[in-house]
Amino acid sequence: MEITPSILTADFTRLGETLEEAVAAGIDWIHMDVMDGNWVANRTVTFGPALIRSVRDRLGSEVTIDCHLMITNAVETWNQYVGAGVDMVIAHFEAVDNFPALIEALHGAGAQAGCVLNPNTSAEQILPLLPDLDLVLVMSVVPGKGGQQFMPEVEDKVRAFRAAIDAQIAAGGRATKLMIDGGIKHHNAAMVSEWGIDIAVVGSGLINDRGTIAENLSAINAALG
Ligand code: DX5
Ligand code: ZN
């Protein structure tokens, strides 16, 4: 299972150094949480395309950058994130009326398309989109901030996506990636990996004052065995 850092718990005045530290520790994917103060329940505002552009320029083209859009107007603004250098736009199923049209637009612009669903959104609604999705993200917390408690009740949903993706691949279809986000730490990483997760977002479990990113990452990798 791959690990990608969420930067919400980082000191933004040292973000460049922190991300270079992550890359030096073996990280090759950065998860950028965009909140517009409208869509998430606690009205959090994080950052936008300008910061993402700086991160892309600092890290170069080798690192994969996604943006997790927790915003009301992903359909009107996705091109600003692609223009800022993201490889993948991950939009919330609950915030987009015509998801197939968004996928088509992203692919048309040469970007990858991801769909993320809240803990209380069922897998059934997203399964028809799977053949065209590069990634599905299962939230294991209610979006809005880092450091929240992991919700184990998403297990069945993760397993349902795993089975559907494996059947899709076996039939010669797209190798859609399966990601999880929220409350992932060294003590539950192996469990979600066993559920079938390909890549886990880790925020407060990786960027904290208990250890360096390399130390925290090696604790997670040790747990993964
Ligand atoms: C929450 C974000 C997550 C969060 C993860 O809305 O989408 O990416 O920052 O942080 P931890 O791992 O601390 O739950
Ligand atoms: Zn996220």
Side-chain angles (χ1 to χ4, degrees):
M1 183 172 80
E2 291 178 68
I3 302 294
T4 175
S6 160
I7 63 168
L8 288 189
T9 50
D11 170 355
F12 282 16
T13 67
R14 297 189 57 258
L15 188 59
E17 292 100 315
T18 300
L19 290 174
E20 283 171 348
E21 190 192 331
V23 171
I27 296 282
D28 62 5
W29 185 313
I30 306 295
H31 180 78
M32 304 289 287
D33 289 303
V34 178
M35 302 180 201
D36 64 359
N38 293 313
W39 195 75
V40 292
N42 60 4
R43 304 285 182 242
T44 301
V45 177
T46 57
F47 47 76
L51 182 77
I52 293 174
R53 168 47 64 196
S54 300
V55 168
R56 172 56 78 196
D57 293 347
R58 179 76 177 246
L59 297 182
S61 59
E62 296 306 303
V63 173
T64 298
I65 299 178
D66 78 54
C67 58
H68 174 190
L69 298 184
M70 291 161 273
I71 64 177
T72 54
N73 59 353
V75 172
E76 292 86 8
T77 61
W78 64 264
N79 52 340
Q80 294 181 45
Y81 298 94
V82 172
V86 302
D87 301 289
M88 179 184 288
V89 171
I90 309 175
H92 266 273
F93 180 77
E94 305 87 0
V96 174
D97 295 337
N98 185 342
F99 219 98
L102 177 61
I103 295 171
E104 199 179 329
L106 287 166
H107 287 165
Q112 296 178 61
C115 179
V116 47
L117 55 165
N118 282 341
N120 60 6
T121 299
S122 70
E124 284 61 43
Q125 300 179 74
I126 282 91
L127 291 175
L129 301 171
L130 218 47
D132 301 310
L133 284 172
D134 301 292
L135 178 138
V136 170
L137 168 52
V138 174
M139 291 304 300
S140 43
V141 296
V142 174
K145 61 181 178 183
Q148 298 184 79
Q149 193 68 30
F150 174 74
M151 299 169 70
E153 53 263 47
V154 301
E155 176 179 356
D156 292 349
K157 189 163 32 176
V158 170
R159 290 187 184 279
F161 280 122
R162 182 74 268 158
I165 291 169
D166 290 347
Q168 179 171 287
I169 294 170
R174 193 183 295 260
T176 305
K177 273 191 181 292
L178 185 53
M179 180 187 263
I180 197 165
D181 184 11
I184 303 298
K185 304 273 191 308
H186 60 83
H187 57 74
N188 57 21
M191 178 181 69
V192 298
S193 175
E194 190 277 325
W195 293 357
I197 291 293
D198 296 311
I199 179 162
V201 176
V202 183
S204 53
L206 204 55
I207 302 176
N208 57 50
D209 52 19
R210 291 187 301 282
T212 64
I213 292 177
E215 289 162 348
N216 293 328
L217 183 61
S218 64
I220 294 171
N221 286 331
L224 289 171

